[in-house]
């Protein structure tokens, strides 16, 4: 009888732990600005929650695709996640796309930092 109680208690503890570890991600509010969503992504990245950070940056890419500077920033952050998680093909695609956007920016309206950071990101990808 004591053994059954111990097993049952261990089962409940395990079940409780599993339910807390499977947290659901909440929707990203439609009224947040791109900067706010990027900040959520950066917070998630700093907490090593790369899946949530990726979701935030992809949301920015979808919602703010017409804002080139914002798009480039979110795309860079996404590439940075892919480097960290060793998804090098995806990282390379992100950084290459950013450099292509800079090549088309005839009026130099984009901040130069993401061009340089993308070049650095590409150099970190193993061949």
């Amino acid at each position: 009888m004591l053994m059954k109680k111990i097993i049952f208690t261990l089962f409940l503890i395990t079940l409780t732990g599993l339910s807390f570890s499977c947290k659901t991600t909440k929707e990203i509010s439609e009224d947040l600005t791109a900067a706010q969503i990027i900040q959520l992504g950066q917070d998630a990245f700093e907490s090593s929650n790369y899946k949530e950070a990726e979701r935030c940056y992809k949301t920015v890419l979808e919602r703010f695709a017409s804002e080139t500077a914002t798009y480039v920033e979110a795309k860079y952050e996404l590439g940075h996640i892919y480097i960290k998680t060793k998804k090098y093909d995806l990282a390379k695609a992100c950084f290459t796309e950013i450099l292509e956007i800079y090549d088309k920016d005839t009026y130099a309206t984009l901040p130069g930092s993401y061009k340089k950071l993308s070049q650095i990101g590409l150099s970190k990808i193993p061949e």
Side-chain angles (χ1 to χ4, degrees), residues 36-55:
Q36 290 170 319
I37 300 170
I38 287 171
Q39 185 60 55
L40 289 174
Q42 290 170 340
D43 293 345
F45 182 86
E46 289 173 12
S47 300
S48 300
N49 188 348
Y50 304 125
K51 188 169 250 166
E52 179 63 15
E54 179 181 22
R55 187 174 78 95

Side-chain angles (χ1 to χ4, degrees), residues 13-14 16 24 37 44 47 52 54 74 85 97 99-100 108 125:
I13 291 170
T14 303
T16 302
T24 53
I37 300 170
S47 300
E52 179 63 15
E54 179 181 22
T85 57
E97 181 182 350
L99 294 175
E100 288 170 357
I125 297 173

Side-chain angles (χ1 to χ4, degrees), residues 23-30 32-34 36-45 48-64 74-75 77-79 81-82 85 87:
K23 64 181 179 182
T24 53
T25 55
K26 54 186 176 175
E27 290 297 313
I28 297 173
S29 177
E30 290 288 332
L32 292 179
T33 65
Q36 290 170 319
I37 300 170
I38 287 171
Q39 185 60 55
L40 289 174
Q42 290 170 340
D43 293 345
F45 182 86
S48 300
N49 188 348
Y50 304 125
K51 188 169 250 166
E52 179 63 15
E54 179 181 22
R55 187 174 78 95
C56 289
Y57 298 132
K58 284 183 173 181
T59 298
V60 171
L61 294 174
E62 291 169 12
R63 291 185 190 173
F64 302 94
K75 189 60 109 170
E77 295 293 350
L78 197 54
I81 289 171
Y82 294 145
T85 57
K87 296 177 181 174

